[in-house]
Amino acid sequence: MAMHLTADEEALLDSDNPAVRKAMELLVRLGDIYGADEMVEIASAQASGISYKSIGDPGMEFLEGFAEEGAEVRVQTFANPAGMDIDRWEEMGVSPEFAKKQRRILQALREMGVTLSFTCTPYLAGNLPRRNQHIAWAESSAVSFANSVIGARTNREGGPSALAAAITGRTPKYALHLPENRTATHRIHVDPSLDTQADFAALGSWTGSIVEDEVPYFTGVEDATTDDLKALGAAMAATGAVALYFVEDITTDETPPIDAETLAFESGDLESEYADLTDTEDTDLVVFGCPHSSVEEIERIADRLEGESIQGDMWVCTSRSNKTWSDRQGYTDTIEAAGGTVLSDTCNVVAPIEEMGYESTATDSAKAATYLPGFGNQRVKFDDKLSLLEEVTE
Ligand code: F3S
């Protein structure tokens, strides 16, 4: 049965503005495919697929054409990371040709009214949804955080559907927009204590590969910081397609599900996950900030690097707003005096690192460790932040 549309939504389908019409047509098709009964109004959107590395000329020209046709966002819409630091691309080693195309994408987004935030942690940078609010976000770690930690409701949108939702202010109401789909399918008891953000990422990597796109409920986790939770969610979204999870007494007051399949995460699983995510010991770039670093993470890195000197290259990736606080607190100066670079707007997964001559990365992100081997045979070493910093300052 076709979806019910309100009079306002019918008017969007008949709009004189071709971009609005196309956006609404796409959402109606999507809703019909997934069996949605109706649309739901959204409070915010997140546009992904905006790095020139990911979308190339066809994507750039699509965005430019869409902007020219009069596409304009109706709700707060933050942009996901771009392929370069918009100010420091030359220093990063990005080519002028790439930078020119990335700037054309930026211009198209600006014309559409998208906030040029270029971050995958919009919730740390000024776009914070409320519990039960419907949103249409696209970057998988941000989707996971919004659903699980904040309790907002979003499916994992693709670049075009998130943009269509931003332009119409609506999204089809199916999957995670419906309360009946927001219940746990697996109960996972975590046996070892999780001492670092990388331990949470390793747990996420293990869990995602087992539960795939379902909903885990963790027990046995004593405590978790916001950074731990963003690392956990990012990893599960990378090795599976987990978009919602619960951690007992931390993200939810609900009791563990009774009928869910129960699994145990043991110390041996934690150790073997570190080994599985690593395929080299020799690396030429160390990267922190996947998902984008919080100010606290940058502070920890700066504290460890005070008066030290790094061997090789090191990036700390963050949002432009967090970089501002890092600059003011003196963290950026400390990290850069040691030989690192604090970059905004980008990360090593969406930047053209293979063209920049890097062949292997050390990271504390299970998401980056999962994705990087797909790009130009990149090799990866996965370890905890402080252990990696120890190694590069020896
Ligand atoms: Fe963000 Fe890039 Fe990682 S977009 S989640 S830092 S792969």
Side-chain angles (χ1 to χ4, degrees):
M1 202 181 71
M3 200 173 0
H4 166 76
L5 296 181
T6 63
D8 284 351
E9 288 159 359
E10 294 285 1
L12 293 172
L13 261 186
D14 288 336
S15 170
D16 295 339
N17 180 322
V20 171
R21 217 167 46 233
K22 282 183 200 162
M24 198 61 191
E25 283 166 3
L26 186 150
L27 295 177
V28 169
R29 268 205 310 279
L30 203 64
D32 286 341
I33 289 170
Y34 287 102
D37 293 333
E38 57 182 350
M39 296 273 178
V40 64
E41 291 193 18
I42 56 165
S44 71
Q46 185 201 25
S48 74
I50 50 104
S51 160
Y52 179 67
K53 172 177 164 178
S54 319
I55 60 173
D57 285 341
M60 174 187 73
E61 284 158 14
F62 167 80
L63 291 172
E64 288 181 331
F66 217 38
E68 224 165 84
E69 282 182 340
E72 204 171 321
V73 302
R74 291 179 174 224
V75 293
Q76 186 183 42
T77 303
F78 268 37
N80 207 38
M84 61 188 202
D85 186 310
I86 304 303
D87 299 334
R88 300 178 82 182
W89 57 271
E90 252 177 315
E91 217 179 304
M92 282 176 73
V94 169
S95 70
E97 297 73 36
F98 185 101
K100 195 169 157 202
K101 305 259 173 117
Q102 184 64 65
R103 274 202 300 265
R104 281 174 60 179
I105 294 171
L106 179 151
Q107 183 54 27
L109 294 170
R110 180 187 283 143
E111 281 168 25
M112 289 189 251
V114 174
T115 304
L116 303 178
S117 51
F118 300 128
T119 183
C120 50
T121 57
Y123 48 88
L124 296 181
N127 183 351
L128 182 65
R130 288 198 316 271
R131 187 171 160 75
N132 291 330
Q133 208 167 40
H134 295 277
I135 57 176
W137 286 15
E139 196 282 315
S140 63
S141 76
V143 165
S144 169
F145 193 94
N147 276 319
S148 315
V149 183
I150 300 170
R153 298 185 185 185
T154 179
N155 289 323
R156 181 174 170 172
E157 299 293 342
S161 65
L163 196 54
I167 289 165
T168 59
R170 289 160 168 77
T171 193
K173 194 174 182 184
Y174 69 97
L176 293 177
H177 290 286
L178 301 170
E180 61 267 31
N181 296 322
R182 300 179 64 89
T183 54
T185 56
H186 292 70
R187 177 178 174 161
I188 298 187
H189 184 72
V190 180
D191 193 37
S193 77
L194 304 175
D195 300 327
T196 65
Q197 205 173 313
D199 284 352
F200 278 85
L203 168 64
S205 170
W206 181 88
T207 306
S209 60
I210 293 173
V211 311
E212 298 182 344
D213 60 353
E214 298 204 86
V215 183
Y217 184 110
F218 296 99
T219 58
V221 177
E222 276 168 23
D223 202 4
T225 64
T226 301
D227 291 322
D228 294 335
L229 295 173
K230 82 178 158 62
L232 173 68
M236 282 191 285
T239 59
V242 174
L244 170 65
Y245 67 88
F246 302 97
V247 185
E248 187 178 42
D249 295 337
I250 293 175
T251 69
T252 179
D253 296 331
E254 304 287 317
T255 49
I258 296 164
D259 299 333
E261 186 182 340
T262 300
L263 299 161
F265 180 75
E266 318 271 3
S267 301
D269 297 317
L270 183 61
E271 277 160 34
S272 58
E273 210 52 39
Y274 273 73
D276 288 352
L277 288 166
T278 295
D279 57 16
T280 184
E281 288 300 318
D282 284 337
T283 54
D284 48 25
L285 176 66
V286 180
V287 183
F288 301 117
C290 171
H292 272 175
S293 296
S294 65
V295 180
E296 290 87 342
E297 283 180 85
I298 303 175
E299 180 183 9
R300 277 206 305 282
I301 296 166
D303 283 352
R304 177 61 188 75
L305 289 178
E306 183 87 57
E308 297 275 7
S309 174
I310 298 167
Q311 321 291 321
D313 292 351
M314 188 191 90
W315 296 357
V316 178
C317 299
T318 190
S319 62
R320 178 70 54 188
S321 53
N322 282 349
K323 165 82 167 29
T324 303
W325 311 137
S326 168
D327 293 350
R328 287 198 177 162
Q329 299 303 119
Y331 306 148
T332 306
D333 282 349
T334 304
I335 291 169
E336 301 207 341
T341 314
V342 181
L343 295 173
S344 307
D345 311 319
T346 192
C347 74
N348 59 330
V349 173
V350 296
I353 51 164
E354 53 289 349
E355 286 169 24
M356 292 154 62
Y358 292 117
E359 292 180 353
S360 52
T361 299
T363 177
D364 66 338
S365 164
K367 175 173 177 177
T370 302
Y371 282 164
L372 284 169
F375 303 126
N377 296 322
Q378 291 285 315
R379 283 167 293 119
V380 178
K381 177 181 169 74
F382 172 79
D383 208 344
D384 161 52
K385 221 181 238 88
L386 292 180
S387 308
L388 290 175
L389 287 170
E390 186 105 343
E391 254 173 60
V392 292
T393 52
E394 261 171 11

